[in-house]
Amino acid sequence: MDIQKVGVAGCGLMGSGIAEISAKAGMDVLVREISDEAIEAGRARIGKSLGRAVKKEKITEEDRDQILERISFTTAISDLADRDIVIEAVVEDLEVKNELFGTLDPLCGEGTIFATNTSSLTVTDMAAAVNRPDRVVGLHFFNPVPVMKLVEVVRTIATSDEAFERTFAFARALGKEPIAAKDNSGFVVNLLLVPYMLDAIRQLERGVASIEDIDKGMMLGCGYPMGPFQLCDFVGNDTTYRIAEIMFDEYREERFAPPPLLKRMVAMGRYGRKAGKGFYDYSGDQPVPMEL
Ligand code: CAA
Ligand code: NAD
């Protein structure tokens, strides 16, 4: 049975994009956030993203209005009980994710799929916390969700063929290119990308070059659309720090260890674009690299 009723827990950088593309695909979307303020912030993110598409004449204003009409918001977890799938895009913290799924487990129908957008936790750690391990999957989108075609679809040893196939078909219905990934920390892409991002910070700590020149090096030398520090600020330095801690705990390899500079950035609230400051200061017309 096709997925039509989509629940999204968390409407931050990723949840807002997941809600947007699900509504754009004609689905009924219910977003759960932790407060009215967080709902308003999420609603604004979706509006800004759709506004960008209207400005670029990718969609009409009527399209935008219809998409927004398909998205409703709540702070009550129990409102997600009627969903065909619940996708969590809450903070990268296993306890928070498992508390959410644990609360939903007895409320949702037995066919409801629980999908996690985690960057680095294993899906198994979430499947172990609910009574429906056969219907727990990874559904890992990439930032910005409306733009990046890739979605990693992850199954554990307990995931049923039916749940995996329905999720794969759902990813395709969203207009994405899904790949099947094994349930290891970082799946396919982050296993490669996270060490690259952390190594750039280590290179900066060693004084090899400036923030701007390291970014320029990877864009002009390798054709990357963003340099590593622009990317860190785009992903969120708080999220990247949590990802590094989780992957280092999993693999115990130095390449995943969170660099001390990243820890200090997070301690000082320099989360990146979402905080107005990260490796760059975004308060002016142009981003200005931070002085180390
Ligand atoms: N939200 C929605 N749409 C956006 C956007 C955003 N934040 N930023 C840009 N766009 C759209 C624009 O509207 C434009 O759309 P059209 O092509 O339909 O016109 C398109 O993206 C290109 O945007 P721009 O021309 O304004 O800017 P750009 O060419 O520099 O592209 C970018 C912006 C797509 C973000 C590009 O810089 C890029 O691809 N950066 C790398 C992103 C990346 O690596 N993502 C993966 C991060 S890691 C991850 O997600 C996994 C994890 O677990 C951490
Ligand atoms: P974010 O900080 O932008 O958003 C997290 C949102 O979750 C916040 O709005 C917060 O209010 C909300 N939240 C926290 N606890 C909640 C709960 N119990 N119920 C509902 N909402 C809750 O974070 P993000 O960057 O969107 O990342 C979210 C998840 O997606 C993380 O697991 C992250 O690893 C993963 N991810 C992030 C990226 C990225 O580039 N940022 C890419 C892919 C995957």
Side-chain angles (χ1 to χ4, degrees):
M1 180 186 73
D2 283 359
I3 287 171
Q4 267 307 316
K5 290 186 163 188
V6 178
V8 181
C11 201
L13 291 179
M14 298 305 286
S16 57
I18 296 167
E20 175 188 334
I21 65 167
S22 300
K24 209 179 276 178
M27 294 168 192
D28 170 317
V29 180
L30 176 60
V31 172
R32 190 263 168 172
E33 258 288 359
I34 53 176
S35 67
D36 290 340
E37 294 73 27
I39 283 178
E40 288 320 308
R43 196 197 303 267
R45 279 187 201 97
I46 296 169
K48 183 179 173 199
S49 179
L50 288 172
R52 197 188 268 117
V54 169
K55 195 165 166 221
K56 295 203 162 196
E57 296 182 352
K58 296 285 176 184
I59 59 173
T60 65
E61 291 189 358
E62 291 71 29
D63 295 331
R64 178 198 55 201
D65 296 346
Q66 282 174 7
I67 292 166
L68 289 172
E69 273 165 27
R70 293 192 201 105
I71 306 174
S72 45
F73 298 84
T74 183
T75 54
I77 289 186
S78 55
D79 287 350
L80 293 172
D82 71 343
R83 301 288 105 181
D84 299 324
I85 188 171
V86 177
I87 305 165
E88 70 78 17
V90 304
V91 61
E92 185 72 342
D93 179 311
L94 183 60
E95 270 182 45
V96 176
K97 295 178 187 295
N98 279 349
E99 186 189 350
L100 174 82
F101 281 144
T103 306
L104 280 173
D105 203 20
L107 301 176
C108 292
E110 63 173 32
T112 301
I113 293 171
F114 287 177
T116 173
N117 186 52
T118 184
S119 302
S120 54
L121 294 162
T122 59
V123 182
T124 301
D125 280 341
M126 291 173 226
V130 294
N131 296 314
R132 60 177 77 212
D134 57 327
R135 289 188 301 293
V136 178
V137 295
L139 190 59
H140 184 226
F141 293 89
F142 287 77
N143 187 359
V145 175
V147 181
M148 309 316 279
K149 294 298 281 179
L150 181 72
V151 175
E152 291 174 314
V153 184
V154 185
R155 67 186 301 169
T156 72
I157 54 174
T159 306
S160 69
D161 291 344
E162 190 254 351
F164 181 74
E165 284 151 19
R166 280 181 77 203
T167 306
F168 219 81
F170 172 67
R172 287 219 166 92
L174 295 179
K176 297 300 179 185
E177 280 295 327
I179 61 171
K182 286 272 186 292
D183 186 24
N184 54 265
S185 176
F187 309 141
V188 173
V189 173
N190 280 350
L191 199 55
L192 297 169
L193 184 69
V194 171
Y196 154 71
M197 292 166 75
L198 301 180
D199 280 344
I201 299 171
R202 283 187 267 271
Q203 195 177 86
L204 184 64
E205 286 176 323
R206 287 193 194 107
V208 171
S210 68
I211 288 172
E212 265 186 318
D213 282 352
I214 295 171
D215 274 350
K216 203 180 280 182
M218 293 312 291
M219 287 192 283
L220 302 188
C222 296
Y224 285 24
M226 277 179 177
F229 296 105
Q230 293 166 316
L231 183 57
C232 282
D233 281 354
F234 192 66
V235 164
N237 295 313
D238 53 336
T239 298
T240 301
Y241 182 67
R242 287 175 185 272
I243 293 168
E245 283 193 307
I246 291 161
M247 294 185 83
F248 183 66
D249 186 52
E250 178 82 2
Y251 296 114
R252 295 281 161 200
E253 294 172 38
E254 198 224 334
R255 62 196 175 114
F256 298 110
L261 174 58
L262 181 61
K263 186 174 180 181
R264 292 204 300 275
M265 300 271 297
V266 174
M268 294 309 292
R270 294 188 74 119
Y271 298 158
R273 281 194 193 193
K274 65 183 176 183
K277 272 187 183 176
F279 287 97
Y280 291 87
D281 182 329
Y282 298 90
S283 55
D285 294 341
Q286 289 302 320
V288 176
M290 65 183 266
E291 293 300 319
L292 273 181

